[in-house]
Amino acid sequence: MKILLLIDALGSGGAERQMTYLAISLKKAGCEIRLIQFYDSVVFYEQELAQAGIKVEIRAEGLARWKRPWVIAKLVHSWQPDAVIAYKDGCCLAACLAELLGKHFKLIVSERNTTQVLNRRERLKFLLYRLADYVVPNSYSQAEFIKRHFPRLLPRLRVITNTIDTDEFSPISPKTERIPVVITTARISYQKNVIGYLQALQLLRQRSVKAHFVWYGGGNSEDKEYVEEVKRLLHEWKLNDYVTFAGRCNDISQRYCEVTFFCLPSIYEGFANVLCEAMASGLICVASNVCDNPLILNRSNRLFDPNNYVDMADKIEAMLNISVEELRAESADNRKRILQLCSSEIFVNSYLSLCK
């Protein structure tokens, strides 16, 4: 089976990691793969892909969004794939428009987040999705949104949640922390609720809670103003010695092995890769009570209102006060939960069934 995979760029984000997993898994299943990115930028997962025998093709002529449908249509015409799978809005929309430029091809578009505002652009996107054979959200919360607002897409709707490499993300003990360390892995942006998190940490410091907080991840160009505001508040609230912003991390699985606790304070999510990775690594986790987080974490006492920094602080403090016996049991339960929820076999077989 020949499968064409499309994505804007293979950076370090969650959708990019899932596309990498998908390409490698399809290759292992015997498929012939072409993986296309449109930005002439660094391929974060290049080594893993190369080890699987997959070379990323950079088609910079499709960088201009109005040209991209033509580039995709030409690729389909010349290579004749059995299916095209597109990730991220730009590629999904371009692939839908490419349908109008040539003969029909099997198209699978994937929704990687949850829609927060139903504006004109979002309505146009879902209208164009009628040109796709399948619409694949990676979260049940987004599937419910689509069912409610765009019922005509229901026959095309299939949920395929994310997978996790549970060999890469696995527990190693004992930990070496002198004081408890809580890590977060997320982009510095409004969606990830960094400022709300800092408010909670300010309260924890006032309560004399002993811990250190480390945030792995940077901000994109569109987040520049938000990043600057985070820096200002960090200095104003004198939190520099309580929380560390460590930037992007190339070996996050190793960082998980060094700590015990994890927090994801997002205002909204899709199906949160980082929460799954932390749980697979046996970390004790707290997260915002939004989207699919309750399904993943499956513990009401570890969920907080992301708009209530007092609730967030309370849940973090309770997590830090866990007993040794409770920690061991919860760590094992978290690992077991992800082994059940994020099976790589179910992930790849679900896509293969749509491609046939």
Side-chain angles (χ1 to χ4, degrees):
M1 192 183 305
K2 297 166 67 175
I3 301 176
L4 181 64
L5 303 175
L6 306 171
I7 193 166
D8 290 337
L10 279 165
S12 60
E16 293 81 358
R17 178 178 285 275
Q18 291 301 308
M19 177 60 87
T20 301
Y21 284 147
L22 179 59
I24 294 171
S25 298
L26 290 172
K27 180 81 171 180
K28 288 180 178 178
C31 297
E32 188 178 351
I33 298 297
R34 288 183 70 177
L35 176 51
I36 309 294
Q37 78 167 35
F38 293 100
Y39 284 84
D40 189 4
S41 57
V42 173
V43 178
F44 189 82
Y45 302 103
E46 186 173 17
Q47 184 176 352
E48 294 96 319
L49 289 162
Q51 288 173 350
I54 300 169
K55 180 176 175 57
V56 179
E57 300 177 45
I58 297 174
R59 302 299 294 261
E61 71 271 27
L63 183 58
R65 293 184 183 276
W66 67 271
K67 290 183 179 179
R68 199 173 294 179
W70 296 95
V71 175
I72 295 171
K74 288 178 181 178
L75 280 166
V76 170
H77 179 75
S78 62
W79 195 51
Q80 299 288 307
D82 295 288
V84 176
I85 302 175
Y87 271 29
K88 307 294 283 283
D89 285 359
C91 284
C92 289
L93 293 175
C96 288
L97 292 172
E99 280 269 11
L100 301 175
L101 300 175
K103 68 176 184 178
H104 174 75
F105 55 90
K106 181 170 283 188
L107 175 59
I108 301 163
V109 295
S110 182
E111 285 284 280
R112 312 307 303 175
N113 219 324
T114 52
T115 303
Q116 298 301 299
V117 179
L118 191 53
N119 55 28
R120 184 179 300 174
R121 184 184 182 281
E122 289 294 307
R123 291 182 184 279
L124 175 61
K125 178 181 75 172
F126 288 109
L127 177 64
L128 287 173
Y129 277 0
R130 295 184 193 179
L131 296 167
D133 294 87
Y134 295 104
V135 179
V136 179
N138 74 335
S139 68
Y140 290 96
S141 53
Q142 182 68 352
E144 288 302 317
F145 172 86
I146 295 171
K147 288 178 186 177
R148 186 166 63 253
H149 293 282
F150 303 97
R152 290 189 182 183
L153 292 176
L154 187 57
R156 306 166 193 265
L157 200 61
R158 303 288 188 278
V159 177
I160 303 178
T161 56
N162 295 345
T163 187
I164 296 297
D165 185 341
T166 51
D167 292 327
E168 178 184 3
F169 296 97
S170 59
I172 296 177
S173 58
K175 309 293 185 180
T176 59
E177 302 152 287
R178 289 179 297 172
I179 64 169
V181 176
V182 182
I183 70 169
T184 299
T185 52
R187 190 175 78 253
I188 299 176
S189 67
Y190 168 79
Q191 177 190 347
K192 303 304 181 181
N193 197 24
V194 191
I195 292 175
Y197 187 53
L198 290 181
Q199 288 178 299
L201 300 192
Q202 185 183 34
L203 181 57
L204 289 172
R205 185 168 187 175
Q206 290 169 0
R207 295 176 181 176
S208 299
V209 173
K210 291 186 177 181
H212 190 74
F213 300 85
V214 182
W215 187 292
Y216 290 102
N220 295 336
S221 57
E222 63 268 26
D223 303 314
K224 185 176 180 180
E225 289 185 9
Y226 191 86
V227 172
E228 290 303 314
E229 179 67 4
V230 167
K231 290 178 180 178
R232 187 187 69 79
L233 292 173
L234 191 66
H235 177 73
E236 181 180 317
W237 294 342
K238 297 180 173 59
L239 289 171
N240 288 287
D241 61 343
Y242 202 55
V243 57
T244 299
F245 285 89
R248 291 181 174 88
C249 180
N250 292 333
D251 58 347
I252 195 63
S253 59
Q254 181 59 39
R255 302 287 80 77
Y256 288 142
C257 292
E258 297 167 352
V259 301
T260 305
F261 303 104
F262 178 88
C263 179
L264 184 64
S266 310
I267 294 172
Y268 64 94
E269 281 289 342
F271 192 89
N273 286 330
V274 293
L275 179 57
C276 296
E277 291 167 357
M279 290 174 64
S281 301
L283 273 63
I284 310 304
C285 302
V286 290
S288 50
N289 189 13
V290 298
C291 304
D292 278 24
N293 286 355
L295 169 70
I296 298 168
L297 192 50
N298 201 32
R299 287 178 178 271
S300 59
N301 66 323
R302 299 293 185 217
L303 297 165
F304 54 77
D305 178 355
N307 297 306
N308 184 339
Y309 69 89
V310 176
D311 186 32
M312 192 188 309
D314 289 345
K315 295 296 169 52
I316 294 172
E317 186 173 8
M319 174 181 69
L320 293 171
N321 288 330
I322 190 171
S323 70
V324 173
E325 293 76 16
E326 290 172 325
L327 189 153
R328 289 172 179 165
E330 190 168 327
S331 173
D333 286 347
N334 283 353
R335 168 79 176 172
K336 182 179 178 181
R337 177 69 175 165
I338 298 306
L339 288 173
Q340 294 171 341
L341 198 61
C342 300
S343 160
S344 59
E345 290 79 13
I346 293 174
F347 176 75
V348 68
N349 288 335
S350 296
Y351 273 106
L352 282 170
S353 68
L354 300 185
C355 292
K356 293 176 181 177

